[in-house]
Structures are given as C-alpha cells and as structure tokens.
Amino acid sequence: MERSTQHTATSTSFLSSGSDAVIRIRNLHKSFEETTVLRGVDLDLKKEENLVVLGRSGTGKSVLIKCIVGLITPDKGQIEVLGEDVLNLDAKAMNTLRRKVGFSFQLSALYDSMTIRENLEFPLKRNLGIYDRKELNHRVEQALEEVGLAQAIDQWPADLSGGQKKRIGVARTLILNPEIMLYDEPTAGLDPITSEEINELILEVQKRHGTSSIIITHDLTCARTIANRLIFLHKGQNHFDGSFEELSNTKDPLLRTFLDYYNI
Ligand SMILES: Nc1ncnc2c1ncn2[C@@H]1O[C@H](COP(=O)(O)OP(=O)(O)OP(=O)(O)O)[C@@H](O)[C@H]1O
Ligand SMILES: [Mg+2]
C-alpha cells in the first residue's frame, strides 16, 4: 500500500474516543463460499469528508459498504459507525443507527409500481413512522426541491431519465436527514454532463447538511470533483490512500494502468 492508514486498533482500544472519524473499519474480511472478497480492509471516514473508494470491478467495494449498514455480515474485523460497534449491536440499536446512514444503491432502486411521491413516502413511513398527510407532503416536497425535481412528484419512475432517477434516489436517502451518506456508483450509466450535475448535487448535500460521505465510483472525473481523499482497493485490500493529486502523480504500476486509461 502506498500510504497506509494507521493500524492502531486492537480489540480493546477499538471504540474510539477523541477520534474525528464517523466511520472506522479495521481488518475487515469477507468470503462467499470459495471466493474471498475482503482481505483485511481498513477505512476511516472523517466528519464532513467526501471519501472516494476506487477499485476494479469485483474487488469488493459494494460488499464493503454493505457491511457498514449491516446488509452483509463480515467474517472478521471491526466496524465503528458514529461511535457504535456495528457488529455487536442488537436489532433495535442497529435500526436506530441505520436511520443516520443513508445508502444510495448502485442501481437507483426505485419501486417502479410506485409514483415518485410514494417512493419518497416509503422510507418516511417505514423508518420514521410518519403517516400524517401534511407532514409527508411537506417532507417529500422539500426533498424533491433539494434535488431540483419538484415537478416530478406525481410521475412514475419509468417516465424519468437515468439522471433524474439518480436524483430521486438521492432525495429518497436525504429525506431521512442522515449524518452519513453512502453512494454506490452515483453516476454509473450517465452522460458526462448529467454526471457532473449529480456530482454537484452530492457536494451541495454535503455542504448544506454537513454530511460525511463515502462515494464508490469508477468515474475519475467525479472523483476529482468531489473527493477530499481517495482510497483504492485491490483484491480486497487497501492499495492507496491519499489525495487526488497524490494519486495522479503516482508511479505505482497498478495505479498507473488504471489512471492511464483515463489519461490522468
Ligand atoms: N451476496 C453475495 N453472495 C455471493 N457473492 C457475492 C455477494 N455479494 C458480492 N459477491 C461477490 O463479491 C465480489 C465483490 O463484489 P462487489 O459487488 O463488492 O464488487 P464491486 O467492487 O462493487 O464491483 P463493481 O465495480 O463491478 O460494482 C464479486 O465476486 C461478487 O460476485
Ligand atoms: Mg459495486
């Protein structure tokens, strides 16, 4: 690894104090039957940071962030989110924590059989138990305004473009006012101009709400625009941790192959 994150964790000292990290992951391992995916990943997300996670397809990026929200249970390692030891939480505490962590999936994952309004009301009802019509309307309208799609409220997902669906996906995550946002390939499949708009939206959300974000992407233009820091995973391990400038100046052959492809 080019510049390592600190390996200070032990099982007793793991739950941090005085650290400004909102997520701390140490030595994370995960295999699916014969396939070993994560082989000791470390990650720190600092408060109000935009951390980009890069790496080739299949290297375990999505698995990593699914572990953070408890959708996948790792085999070994430690995960601390907002001071909570994720792997040792009971279901109730995990649910409370999940409300603070917004997860925007790799595919925008809107329900096609629901209008945009219904798609946005869904997390409010399920996660916050809000059923009051006025309150629902107010929150849905506000979230749509934030992503510039107030007019889409009564449309169906099938009527929207890919970029608009991504925006709705962001709105659906934002509507719960999370402290941390996890974006899995927010610009995949979008043209460069629409991608740039989504990047700007991510930056706006970060500034306006003071959220801390992990953004998984293959899009280095996106990474350049939004990353305060980047990590590069390779074969389930950390291979690089640093700024975009440090990445673009690297002589590491593996990273060069990746960067040359983008002419960086
Ligand atoms: N639930 C699962 N069951 C079995 N194998 C899985 C599961 N989830 C992921 N994998 C495997 O783990 C590996 C890593 O998958 P992951 O989705 O994390 O890759 P990725 O780095 O996000 O790739 P991409 O850039 O293409 O999205 C793949 O080999 C995948 O098939
Ligand atoms: Mg993925």
mmCIF file of all heavy atoms in Angstrom, residues 57-58 60-63 106 184-185 216 218, ligand 2:
data_model
loop_
_atom_site.group_PDB
_atom_site.id
_atom_site.type_symbol
_atom_site.label_atom_id
_atom_site.label_comp_id
_atom_site.label_asym_id
_atom_site.label_seq_id
_atom_site.Cartn_x
_atom_site.Cartn_y
_atom_site.Cartn_z
ATOM 1 N N SER A 57 -13.632 -3.602 -10.974
ATOM 2 C CA SER A 57 -14.885 -4.326 -10.785
ATOM 3 C C SER A 57 -14.649 -5.636 -10.046
ATOM 4 O O SER A 57 -13.692 -6.351 -10.345
ATOM 5 C CB SER A 57 -15.451 -4.606 -12.178
ATOM 6 O OG SER A 57 -16.817 -4.546 -12.146
ATOM 7 N N GLY A 58 -15.489 -5.924 -9.079
ATOM 8 C CA GLY A 58 -15.399 -7.196 -8.365
ATOM 9 C C GLY A 58 -14.421 -7.201 -7.207
ATOM 10 O O GLY A 58 -14.212 -8.223 -6.557
ATOM 11 N N GLY A 60 -14.713 -5.694 -4.362
ATOM 12 C CA GLY A 60 -15.371 -5.730 -3.051
ATOM 13 C C GLY A 60 -15.842 -4.384 -2.525
ATOM 14 O O GLY A 60 -16.156 -4.252 -1.345
ATOM 15 N N LYS A 61 -15.958 -3.395 -3.397
ATOM 16 C CA LYS A 61 -16.367 -2.051 -2.948
ATOM 17 C C LYS A 61 -17.806 -2.059 -2.418
ATOM 18 O O LYS A 61 -18.089 -1.519 -1.351
ATOM 19 C CB LYS A 61 -16.227 -1.045 -4.108
ATOM 20 C CG LYS A 61 -14.830 -0.982 -4.696
ATOM 21 C CD LYS A 61 -14.722 -0.003 -5.851
ATOM 22 C CE LYS A 61 -15.593 -0.305 -7.051
ATOM 23 N NZ LYS A 61 -15.277 -1.580 -7.760
ATOM 24 N N SER A 62 -18.697 -2.668 -3.205
ATOM 25 C CA SER A 62 -20.099 -2.696 -2.764
ATOM 26 C C SER A 62 -20.248 -3.560 -1.513
ATOM 27 O O SER A 62 -20.999 -3.208 -0.600
ATOM 28 C CB SER A 62 -21.005 -3.235 -3.879
ATOM 29 O OG SER A 62 -20.990 -2.351 -4.980
ATOM 30 N N VAL A 63 -19.518 -4.665 -1.469
ATOM 31 C CA VAL A 63 -19.569 -5.524 -0.273
ATOM 32 C C VAL A 63 -19.126 -4.716 0.951
ATOM 33 O O VAL A 63 -19.754 -4.773 2.008
ATOM 34 C CB VAL A 63 -18.679 -6.779 -0.467
ATOM 35 C CG1 VAL A 63 -18.476 -7.517 0.841
ATOM 36 C CG2 VAL A 63 -19.300 -7.706 -1.518
ATOM 37 N N GLN A 106 -26.318 1.089 -5.911
ATOM 38 C CA GLN A 106 -25.648 1.122 -7.216
ATOM 39 C C GLN A 106 -26.666 1.361 -8.335
ATOM 40 O O GLN A 106 -26.460 2.186 -9.206
ATOM 41 C CB GLN A 106 -24.908 -0.204 -7.420
ATOM 42 C CG GLN A 106 -24.010 -0.231 -8.632
ATOM 43 C CD GLN A 106 -22.871 -1.231 -8.471
ATOM 44 O OE1 GLN A 106 -22.738 -1.882 -7.460
ATOM 45 N NE2 GLN A 106 -22.043 -1.329 -9.495
ATOM 46 N N ASP A 184 -23.233 4.374 -3.874
ATOM 47 C CA ASP A 184 -22.598 3.325 -4.671
ATOM 48 C C ASP A 184 -22.790 3.656 -6.148
ATOM 49 O O ASP A 184 -23.880 3.522 -6.695
ATOM 50 C CB ASP A 184 -23.204 1.957 -4.338
ATOM 51 C CG ASP A 184 -22.326 0.804 -4.818
ATOM 52 O OD1 ASP A 184 -21.374 1.064 -5.583
ATOM 53 O OD2 ASP A 184 -22.588 -0.345 -4.429
ATOM 54 N N GLU A 185 -21.715 4.097 -6.772
ATOM 55 C CA GLU A 185 -21.704 4.477 -8.188
ATOM 56 C C GLU A 185 -22.856 5.409 -8.571
ATOM 57 O O GLU A 185 -23.718 5.059 -9.386
ATOM 58 C CB GLU A 185 -21.700 3.219 -9.064
ATOM 59 C CG GLU A 185 -20.440 2.415 -8.811
ATOM 60 C CD GLU A 185 -20.147 1.406 -9.896
ATOM 61 O OE1 GLU A 185 -20.521 1.670 -11.052
ATOM 62 O OE2 GLU A 185 -19.543 0.393 -9.577
ATOM 63 N N ILE A 216 -18.521 5.475 -3.891
ATOM 64 C CA ILE A 216 -17.854 4.473 -4.716
ATOM 65 C C ILE A 216 -18.048 4.898 -6.161
ATOM 66 O O ILE A 216 -19.171 5.206 -6.570
ATOM 67 C CB ILE A 216 -18.502 3.085 -4.540
ATOM 68 C CG1 ILE A 216 -18.292 2.593 -3.123
ATOM 69 C CG2 ILE A 216 -17.934 2.098 -5.546
ATOM 70 C CD1 ILE A 216 -18.961 1.253 -2.870
ATOM 71 N N HIS A 218 -16.340 4.598 -10.466
ATOM 72 C CA HIS A 218 -15.320 4.283 -11.467
ATOM 73 C C HIS A 218 -14.982 5.550 -12.251
ATOM 74 O O HIS A 218 -14.165 5.520 -13.151
ATOM 75 C CB HIS A 218 -15.858 3.248 -12.466
ATOM 76 C CG HIS A 218 -15.997 1.880 -11.898
ATOM 77 N ND1 HIS A 218 -14.920 1.049 -11.705
ATOM 78 C CD2 HIS A 218 -17.071 1.196 -11.466
ATOM 79 C CE1 HIS A 218 -15.337 -0.097 -11.176
ATOM 80 N NE2 HIS A 218 -16.641 -0.023 -11.024
HETATM 81 MG MG MG B 2 -20.194 -2.397 -6.866
#
